[in-house]
């Protein structure tokens, strides 16, 4: 996906600027649409300069807008791992 297409896609979102920034960052990490990214909320927040709560809130906004899918991951012993975010 070229830059212009990505910018138009992000500009068309009906969401706050912080959610758009987060979505664009996930797009960059995934390398385009219909890909997935595995990253912790802590690392994602640090990368974009948000608090953990703001990052979580905006991820849930994007999920409600059906822009991303959030898949929780667990280790074999039941411990939590980083979520997988699938871009739609």
């Amino acid at each position: 996906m070229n830059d212009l297409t990505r910018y138009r896609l992000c500009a068309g979102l009906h969401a706050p600027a912080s959610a758009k920034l987060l979505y664009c960052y996930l797009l960059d990490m995934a390398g385009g649409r219909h890909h997935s990214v595995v990253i912790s909320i802590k690392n994602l927040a640090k990368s974009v300069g948000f608090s953990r709560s703001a990052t979580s809130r905006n991820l849930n906004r994007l999920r409600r807008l059906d822009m991303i899918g959030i898949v929780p991951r667990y280790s074999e012993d039941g411990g939590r791992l980083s979520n997988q975010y699938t871009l739609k």
Side-chain angles (χ1 to χ4, degrees):
M1 175 182 303
N2 67 26
D3 289 340
L4 183 58
T5 304
R6 184 172 54 247
Y7 297 148
R8 285 186 178 160
L9 177 66
C10 290
L13 285 175
H14 296 292
S18 55
K20 291 178 183 183
L21 174 66
L22 195 58
Y23 186 72
C24 286
Y25 184 76
L26 289 171
L27 273 175
D28 286 342
M29 287 185 62
R33 294 184 74 181
H34 304 290
H35 288 83
S36 62
V37 176
V38 175
I39 188 170
S40 68
I41 290 179
K42 177 183 175 184
N43 288 337
L44 189 55
K46 185 177 179 183
S47 297
V48 294
F50 294 163
S51 67
R52 291 178 66 170
S53 62
T55 302
S56 181
R57 182 173 51 251
N58 284 301
L59 287 169
N60 284 319
R61 269 189 191 125
L62 291 170
R63 182 184 50 77
R64 284 192 308 270
L65 291 170
D66 201 33
M67 296 301 296
I68 64 170
I70 301 174
V71 179
R73 298 181 330 126
Y74 299 93
S75 64
E76 289 181 10
D77 63 353
R80 285 280 290 155
L81 298 173
S82 299
N83 288 336
Q84 178 179 352
Y85 303 99
T86 306
L87 295 128
K88 299 180 181 181

